[in-house]
Each structure stands twice: as C-alpha cells, then as structure tokens.
Amino acid sequence: MTDLSVQDWKSKAAALKFRNQCFIDGAFCDALSGQKFETVNPATSEVLTDVARGGGEDIDRAVASARRAFASGAWSARTPEQRKQVLLRLAGLIRENIPEFALLDTLDMGKPIKDSSTIDAPGAAHFFQWHGEAIDKLYDEIAPTGGRDLALVRRVPLGVIGAVVPWNFPLDMATWKLAPALATGNSVVLKPAEQSPLSALFLAELACEAGLPDGVLNVVPGYGEDAGQALGRHADVDCLVFTGSTSVGKLFQRYAGESNMKQVWLETGGKSPNIIFPDADLDAAADMAAFGIFFNQGEVCSANSRMLVHETIKDQMTERMKSRAEAIVPGDPLDPASTLGAMVDRSHTDKVMRFIESGKQSSRLVTGGERITLNGSDAFVTPTIFDNVQSDHQIVREEVFGPVLTIQTFTTDDQAVAMANDTVYGLAASVWTSDLSRALGVSDALNAGTVSVNTVDALSAMTPFGGMKQSGFGRDLSIHSFDKYTALKTTWIKY
Ligand code: NAP
Ligand code: MG
C-alpha cells in the first residue's frame, strides 16, 4: 500500500462507490422517514455523499430483524467452528479490500492514509480473525458438585446487542465490538458515528458475503440523539456496548435504567499520564510520547496527553518534545507522506482551539497552537505543547481529543503517582524508567486499565483494553471481551 502515490489514492477515491443507506435484514434500504444527512470530508470540506438518517423506527426494524435472526438459530445455534469459518472469510474479504476501507475512513474523518491503510484496515481483519480463531478453543465448565449431580456451566449468547461507536477509528471501534459479539453467536445493531458511517456500511455488506445470515448484523447510520438513544432505550435490546465520551456513556446508563435494565458496557474518555523518570532513555521516551499524543491528530482515547517529568530532566525533555512536535506538519491525508491529517470536523476543531486558547491564558505555549488551512479546509491543527501547567488548569483536567500535550514536573515517585491519579479518568498510563522495581511499584499504584512501561499505548488483540473510574468498565479485545457478550448459564442434572 505504501507504494501508492497521492495521485493513485486520489484516483481510487474518485472511483469509490459509497454505500449510504441503512443495512437491515441483509439489504440496503432508505430510512423510513426518507431523511438523509451529509457526510463531509473534513480535509476538503467537500460533501462525500448523503447518508440515510436512521431514526427510532429504523432502529425498531433493525432490532426486530436481529431478534428474528437470533431466534431462528441460523447464527446463534451454529457451532463455534462454523462461526469461526465465517469470521475468517470476513477477515479475508477485509484484507482484499484494504485500500477501499482505508479510503473510506480517511475521507470520512481525515486520518492519514498511511495509518488507515497500514493500521486501521489490516487491524480490523486481524481482530475478526483473532476472535474467530479463539471462539472454538474455549471450553465451558462442570462445577465440582460431586455426588450424583452434574452441573454444567456454559456461556450462552445474550441475544440482541446494540453497539454505538465513535469516529476516531471508525472501522476498528466497530470491529472491537462486532468480532466478539458475532463470534459468541449474538445478533447486532450497530450505530456508527454521524461523522463516519461509511466503512461500517461496507463492512456489513462484506459480512453477508462472508456468510453471515441476514439480520445478524444490521447497521443504522444516524444521529446520536435519535438513532443512538432509540437503541439505548429499546426494550428488546439485551446489551448495549458503547465507545465514546464519558458524558454520553452516562446517558446510556440512564437509558438502560429507564427502560429494560439492559447490560451496558462503556469505553469512554481518558486523560492519560506519561511519567518520565531521570533514569529513562529520554530519546526513546520523546519519540514514543510524540507518537502517543500526535498519532491520529490526538483523537485517541488513550492518548498520553499529560507528560509528568522529573524536575531534573524537565528542560531536556521539553526541548526533545518541541523538536519532535515541530517535525510533524499537518498535510493532505491522501498523501502517503502525511503523518498528521485533518481534525474530524470544523466544530471539533473549534473545540480544540478553545482548549488551546485556554492553555495560552493559563500556561506557556512551547510550540504549535495554530489552526491552518489546506485545500479549502481549516480543520488542521499544529502539534501543540504547553508547560508551566498547574494541575487545576482546564487543559490538564479535561479531555482535549486533539494534538495537545501538557508538561508538568514532579520531584518524588509518590508525587508523580499522585499527580497521575489526580483525574476522573483511568484508561491508560505510561512509565519510563530503567529501574524494574520502580516500574512495577509505580504501575501498581496507577489507576489505569493498561500501564505501558518504556512504551506508550501498548495494545494487542491478546490483551484486554478498557478503563477504570470514568473511563468506563468492561474490556474490549482478548478472550475477556467474550464476557460482555455472554451470560453464564447453569444446567443442573441429578442422575
Ligand atoms: P460521543 O459524542 O460520545 O459519540 C459517540 C457515539 O455516541 C456516536 O455514535 C454518537 O452519535 C453517539 N451519541 C451522541 N450523543 C448521543 C445521545 N444523546 N444518545 C445516544 N447516542 C449518542 O463521542 P465522539 O465525540 O464521537 O468520540 C470521542 C470520544 O470517544 C472521546 O471522549 C474519546 O475518549 C472516546 N473514545 C473512547 C475510547 C475508549 O475505548 N475508551 C475509544 C475511542 C474514543 P453522533 O455521531 O450522532 O454524535
Ligand atoms: Mg459526536
């Protein structure tokens, strides 16, 4: 993929056919209201296509179709081995279509094609393959009752899963929910983010081609307040899985409480600390810290947005971070040389710029802080660093979801831990040191779902991903992701 030029990508983009309707019961269809919304390429401000704006009545149709499919057993009663074969075929189809998937996400939300073609799209194939391969290797249990009793404890699918996902990794966030939900035999209704519905619709089409029966995967694009809320409140949805902001996550808990008490699993925001001790490899720490905060325009829930450096190395680290930041220049996302693309849309860019203005009032701007215009769009923000930052500044407390790093100093290990934990979030954290006992001691004391030592944002299909505190609960990825989509059922036999 890396051998394609910007011109090659542009011609591929021009030839793309967008799937822009709801996908319900194995077929594309308009929203019952006939309404549509525009999905825009934030890197050019051009409208890509009009997409069906699904509402409550479309969610009703999709949930009914998912329920019928589940009850029929066409998928839910297939053996794990049979479900594996379908998911492996889907992984293969994604791999055959990597350029198209990469383009759909890049055009829809502005991320560099280099990343969507080498990370997002291959990642989706890998995650479907991994979950497919895992599902026929899990054994259930026989409880140690003894006597002439046989108590079988089995994992059973929940039924209809509602999934609501964000725009920052459109294909991968959908995949992190779909792969374990489908592997375990459930049916799903997915609502992608309004900014980035296109890759999920193509994925649904390929899933059917791979052999997923009609109705097992439905995709309803639309707005959060109507389609998302309708799914959250639906009385026939057994479980709602969500990735997005903490404030919307709390709404889903409310929707469940006010409707059928469906299970709700949330992956929400973050404000992840990155602690640098003086005995660390400072160049490696700076390289990875820059990747961790500037990758995907900083629109990453687990971005290490708060750097905490020991006071004795503050100047050295700040200098290193400044040079790394200044080497990254926003560019056309379709240019394979670009490593920083467009922010997802103008309103999010406005929000990021408000945070930057607030940072300029309270702190010292080390570099960046500029909004720039490229190809008719002003949704580009330069990599930004602030120092002289206090723990009560807005720029330290709130999730910016943009390429903005704050640098603070500490003197003792205990102080570093206290500062790192001084947040409502608990998604990820990093620690840089060559002292193993310090690394483990500090890791133990950090409230975070994942602590990376001498790296940032360590993540794989094999390890659980998710948060503590207001970063949510439940885990995506790994064998443990199956827990969210299954219930333990006991069958007790006397003989
Ligand atoms: P968001 O505004 O919370 O939206 C996420 C999803 O929820 C979208 O599909 C959205 O639909 C829908 N939604 C919005 N309002 C809703 C409502 N009132 N009722 C029901 N659904 C509603 O988040 P975002 O701005 O798209 O994404 C950024 C956030 O996601 C950040 O906070 C980031 O940390 C978080 N995130 C977390 C993880 C993780 O794994 N922890 C991963 C990635 C992102 P619309 O598109 O129509 O608004
Ligand atoms: Mg949104």
Side-chain angles (χ1 to χ4, degrees):
M1 230 61 63
T2 39
D3 47 351
L4 296 181
S5 68
V6 59
Q7 272 323 319
D8 295 334
W9 283 112
K10 285 195 169 155
S11 8
K12 279 184 183 297
L16 270 186
K17 159 179 160 249
F18 298 117
R19 285 97 183 142
N20 55 7
Q21 293 171 290
C22 305
F23 190 81
I24 298 175
D25 213 16
F28 285 107
C29 57
D30 286 329
L32 284 175
S33 68
Q35 289 188 46
K36 294 176 191 253
F37 66 98
E38 292 177 342
T39 191
V40 172
N41 177 353
T44 59
S45 305
E46 284 160 8
V47 175
L48 293 166
T49 182
D50 287 332
V51 179
R53 180 181 161 184
E57 61 283 11
D58 303 297
I59 292 290
D60 286 346
R61 287 197 290 164
V63 172
S65 149
R67 176 61 63 193
R68 271 195 311 277
F70 185 75
S72 77
W75 180 248
S76 52
R78 282 205 206 166
T79 64
E81 213 275 332
Q82 291 168 328
R83 293 199 296 264
K84 172 180 80 174
Q85 295 304 342
V86 173
L87 295 185
L88 294 185
R89 273 201 297 278
L90 176 56
L93 288 172
I94 295 171
R95 282 199 184 98
E96 284 168 25
N97 289 279
I98 282 176
E100 179 155 357
F101 275 113
L103 276 171
L104 290 175
D105 278 358
T106 285
L107 294 174
D108 230 2
M109 58 69 68
K111 71 169 66 205
I113 195 78
K114 174 172 163 291
D115 295 341
S116 54
S117 63
T118 62
I119 298 174
D120 299 60
H126 176 66
F127 296 128
F128 275 110
Q129 177 173 345
W130 194 90
H131 286 86
E133 284 175 343
I135 197 64
D136 67 348
K137 303 180 181 60
L138 290 179
Y139 290 77
D140 286 333
E141 299 166 4
I142 295 174
T145 54
R148 291 180 69 79
D149 292 281
L150 183 64
L152 310 175
V153 181
R154 285 176 298 167
R155 284 174 182 279
V156 294
L158 295 176
V160 177
I161 309 292
V164 178
V165 296
W167 45 257
N168 59 340
F169 294 90
L171 177 63
D172 282 7
M173 290 300 101
T175 297
W176 286 18
K177 311 297 185 199
L178 293 176
L182 296 173
T184 43
N186 296 281
S187 297
V188 182
V189 178
L190 170 71
K191 195 211 80 73
E194 69 191 62
Q195 294 90 342
S196 57
L198 299 175
S199 56
L201 292 166
F202 183 37
L203 181 67
E205 181 180 295
L206 290 190
C208 277
E209 199 178 319
L212 200 69
D214 293 351
V216 175
L217 172 57
N218 306 273
V219 179
V220 181
Y223 293 155
E225 304 80 67
D226 34 88
Q229 176 162 195
L231 197 53
R233 290 188 180 278
H234 204 289
D236 203 28
V237 169
D238 299 290
C239 170
L240 191 295
V241 288
F242 171 78
T243 295
S245 61
T246 292
S247 55
V248 175
K250 290 178 182 179
L251 288 179
F252 278 103
Q253 292 183 301
R254 209 169 91 197
Y255 300 156
E258 289 173 357
S259 58
N260 64 341
M261 216 174 85
K262 60 179 68 62
Q263 296 183 34
V264 175
W265 298 104
L266 305 175
E267 304 265 8
T268 51
K271 194 73 187 171
S272 299
N274 185 11
I275 305 174
I276 323 281
F277 289 102
D279 60 354
D281 175 340
L282 299 190
D283 284 315
D287 288 342
M288 289 305 287
F291 167 78
I293 185 61
F294 302 132
F295 170 61
N296 212 47
Q297 302 73 245
E299 295 163 331
V300 179
C301 50
S302 50
N304 45 255
S305 49
R306 291 186 295 139
M307 178 177 279
L308 307 176
V309 289
H310 191 268
E311 58 178 4
T312 55
I313 52 165
K314 153 85 175 25
D315 291 344
Q316 299 167 56
M317 272 314 284
T318 306
E319 208 35 60
R320 281 175 171 78
M321 291 311 298
K322 183 172 186 288
S323 70
R324 268 45 166 203
E326 288 171 357
I328 301 171
V329 182
D332 180 350
L334 286 179
D335 183 344
S338 296
T339 53
L340 190 77
M343 308 304 295
V344 68
D345 60 21
R346 295 201 67 190
S347 97
H348 185 60
T349 317
D350 293 343
K351 185 175 149 200
V352 170
M353 292 311 296
R354 282 197 296 276
F355 276 113
I356 288 175
E357 285 314 311
S358 140
K360 285 181 184 167
Q361 301 303 315
S362 59
S363 321
R364 186 179 79 101
L365 179 68
V366 175
T367 186
E370 286 162 279
R371 179 176 193 156
I372 57 177
T373 300
L374 283 175
N375 302 320
S377 163
D378 65 353
F380 296 85
V381 177
T382 55
T384 302
I385 301 176
F386 289 104
D387 70 356
N388 296 347
V389 184
Q390 303 300 319
S391 290
D392 59 349
H393 289 167
Q394 186 194 29
I395 200 97
V396 172
R397 302 222 70 82
E398 295 178 31
E399 184 180 40
V400 176
F401 225 56
V404 179
L405 177 74
T406 60
I407 302 180
Q408 294 172 271
T409 57
F410 65 85
T411 51
T412 65
D413 293 25
D414 286 348
Q415 192 193 4
V417 168
M419 289 170 76
N421 285 337
D422 180 18
T423 167
V424 299
Y425 298 111
L427 188 55
S430 290
V431 182
W432 290 82
T433 175
S434 50
D435 176 340
L436 183 60
S437 357
R438 170 185 263 165
L440 290 174
V442 170
S443 302
D444 289 348
L446 291 172
N447 298 321
T450 300
V451 179
S452 302
V453 175
N454 293 334
T455 184
V456 297
D457 237 341
L459 177 155
S460 85
M462 297 168 282
T463 49
F465 181 89
M468 294 179 178
K469 294 159 76 180
Q470 291 189 44
S471 290
F473 45 84
R475 295 290 180 265
D476 282 333
L477 305 179
S478 86
I479 293 281
H480 301 284
S481 66
F482 295 131
D483 296 346
K484 293 197 294 199
Y485 302 98
T486 51
L488 291 177
K489 181 165 180 179
T490 302
T491 307
W492 192 307
I493 305 161
K494 275 215 161 284
Y495 64 98

